[in-house]
């Protein structure tokens, strides 16, 4: 499970990284507008594979070729994630959680299992 904190104080929850490239724009990922975490509270560091390629059609119409998002596990940041969830205004529809407090309870339970 992947938690994505968006820059507009929204939380999205995904089962895996397969379709993240359809949800999030490469330019926003490169600008650090999203924070990714796994269900254990580890930070997930995004990279694009292949990297974004910027080109021009007919020499003047800009466009980008974007790759898949690859997430690499970083440091354990469960407490940071829990603290940041307190600033989240809403959670996007998902099959696992109805509210931010459901996510917080889940993460606290995950912590007690370790």
């Amino acid at each position: 499970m992947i938690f994505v904190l968006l820059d507009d104080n929204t939380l999205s929850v995904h089962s895996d990284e397969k379709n993240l490239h359809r949800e999030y724009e490469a330019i926003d990922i490169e600008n650090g507008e999203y924070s990714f975490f796994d269900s254990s509270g580890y930070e997930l560091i995004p990279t694009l594979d292949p990297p974004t390629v910027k080109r021009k059609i007919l020499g003047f119409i800009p466009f980008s070729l974007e790759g898949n998002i690859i997430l690499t596990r970083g440091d354990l940041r469960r407490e940071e994630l829990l603290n940041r969830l307190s600033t989240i205004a809403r959670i996007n529809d998902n099959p696992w959680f109805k509210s931010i407090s459901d996510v917080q309870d889940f993460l606290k339970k995950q912590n007690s299992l370790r």
Side-chain angles (χ1 to χ4, degrees), residues 15-29:
S15 60
D16 55 41
E17 63 189 68
K18 286 181 191 172
N19 294 313
L20 291 179
H21 66 282
R22 292 186 181 134
E23 297 277 332
Y24 306 104
E25 293 186 38
I27 188 83
D28 295 336
I29 291 169

Side-chain angles (χ1 to χ4, degrees), residues 6 10 12-13 24 30 37-39 62 64 67 72 87 97 106 113:
L6 288 72
T10 300
S12 288
V13 185
Y24 306 104
E30 291 170 341
F37 294 88
D38 71 10
S39 59
S64 296
T72 305
T87 67
F97 306 103
F106 171 82
L113 296 175

Side-chain angles (χ1 to χ4, degrees), residues 53-100:
V53 176
K54 297 177 182 176
R55 298 195 178 170
K56 293 185 178 184
I57 299 173
L58 302 175
F60 63 92
I61 302 171
F63 78 99
S64 296
L65 297 174
E66 300 177 359
N68 289 323
I69 300 170
I70 306 298
L71 299 174
T72 305
R73 186 182 248 192
D75 295 331
L76 180 61
R77 298 192 186 273
R78 186 181 300 113
E79 292 303 317
E80 176 186 334
L81 175 56
L82 285 167
N83 289 336
R84 290 184 63 191
L85 286 174
S86 66
T87 67
I88 296 296
R90 69 182 212 86
I91 185 170
N92 287 336
D93 289 337
N94 68 83
W96 304 282
F97 306 103
K98 297 291 182 205
S99 68
I100 298 300

